[in-house]
Amino acid sequence: MKKEDNLKELSVEKMLERSRSHQKSKPSDTAVRIGILLLLPYVLWLSKYNDAYVASIHGKMIHLNFDGVMQSFHNVLNSANMIVHEAGHGVCYLFACPELITALNGTVFQLLLPMIFIYYYYKRENSIVMGLGAIWLAQNLVYVAWYMSTSHTPQRYPFFIPGADKHDFWFIFREVGVYEYDWLISGAVRVIAVVLLLVSYGYLLYIAFLKNESRRRRGFYKWGTKQ
């Protein structure tokens, strides 16, 4: 019995040591809060990102003003997203998909990756990273909405199905028969994107600034009632 008790004590101690080391590896509450606050300018800037706004800031990304800095950061994120987007097209070239699926698969891959990211951290109950994943998904949706809005002017933007010289949504909307409603579809996607963006950021603010504080207050109240 003593041996079993000793083994149990050792296993409990090991678990405690692991949890302590895991907690040490996590960023502090202050670091998380600073990181979330640093995202605020980009979130606000991205919420007004549409075709008219893009046209108004065209050529400013090399200037050290607010729009220029935000556009540069946005371009870095979009460059990473485009690798995933083009990989979606590439998969279809490998497996000889129909042309409509090939055109659509770039956007599907672009949105699917952040969804998998969100699900992965949801299962691990990491709310902060899950919220960041939701912002990443919203950022992709903002881009997709803007891309849809350019389907009537495909030659203005150098984003085409590789080797086919076709704007993705110019081709998709014409094939599906909704080309004249591109403004409505892109507008609906944009509304969804902005709502998701703002809700996700609000969720991060709640977790970082309010949730832990309310837990501390509840813990203090429970401790006070026991005295």
Side-chain angles (χ1 to χ4, degrees):
M1 291 295 292
K2 287 184 178 180
K3 287 184 178 180
E4 289 180 2
D5 291 339
N6 289 335
L7 287 171
K8 285 180 181 179
E9 287 177 4
L10 286 171
S11 62
V12 169
E13 286 177 4
K14 286 181 180 179
M15 289 175 67
L16 288 171
E17 285 177 7
R18 287 179 183 177
S19 65
R20 285 169 191 158
S21 62
H22 183 64
Q23 287 173 358
K24 287 178 183 178
S25 65
K26 286 184 177 180
S28 66
D29 289 347
T30 303
V32 169
R33 288 171 179 174
I34 290 171
I36 290 170
L37 289 175
L38 287 174
L39 269 178
L40 179 59
Y42 178 66
V43 168
L44 296 177
W45 180 88
L46 189 61
S47 66
K48 63 177 181 177
Y49 191 89
N50 54 35
D51 193 34
Y53 183 63
V54 171
S56 73
I57 62 173
H58 183 67
K60 292 184 179 179
M61 60 282 297
I62 61 172
H63 297 164
L64 292 177
N65 55 19
F66 179 72
D67 278 335
V69 172
M70 292 298 103
Q71 181 69 53
S72 298
F73 180 65
H74 186 67
N75 287 344
V76 170
L77 292 180
N78 273 344
S79 296
N81 293 335
M82 284 303 98
I83 294 172
V84 181
H85 182 102
E86 296 304 327
H89 292 314
V91 167
C92 278
Y93 285 122
L94 288 174
F95 293 98
C97 300
E99 194 171 2
L100 178 61
I101 302 300
T102 302
L104 190 58
N105 211 44
T107 300
V108 169
F109 264 52
Q110 185 178 345
L111 299 179
L112 188 61
L113 183 60
M115 288 179 182
I116 293 171
F117 184 89
I118 293 167
Y119 179 75
Y120 178 87
Y121 284 102
Y122 167 76
K123 295 296 286 183
R124 280 150 186 79
E125 300 180 351
N126 191 326
S127 300
I128 292 290
V129 182
M130 188 181 72
L132 291 173
I135 289 178
W136 180 23
L137 176 60
Q139 187 263 341
N140 273 282
L141 281 170
V142 167
Y143 171 83
V144 170
W146 169 76
Y147 192 18
M148 287 176 170
S149 73
T150 66
S151 64
H152 267 79
T153 55
Q155 300 303 322
R156 281 177 58 193
Y157 303 98
F159 302 104
F160 308 99
I161 300 173
D165 197 33
K166 293 175 185 174
H167 185 292
D168 287 0
F169 286 102
W170 175 87
F171 179 75
I172 292 166
F173 289 157
R174 288 173 69 90
E175 285 292 300
V176 177
V178 295
Y179 187 57
E180 60 186 19
Y181 302 109
D182 65 338
W183 61 273
L184 180 61
I185 298 169
S186 64
V189 172
R190 173 169 170 73
V191 168
I192 293 169
V194 172
V195 169
L196 177 61
L197 178 68
L198 297 179
V199 169
S200 300
Y201 188 75
Y203 176 68
L204 286 177
L205 289 176
Y206 167 73
I207 292 171
F209 291 93
L210 299 176
K211 190 175 182 180
N212 290 337
E213 189 63 30
S214 64
R215 280 181 179 176
R216 289 192 193 99
R217 287 177 181 175
R218 285 199 301 268
F220 179 79
Y221 175 77
K222 287 178 182 178
W223 179 81
T225 57
K226 289 178 182 179
Q227 299 304 311

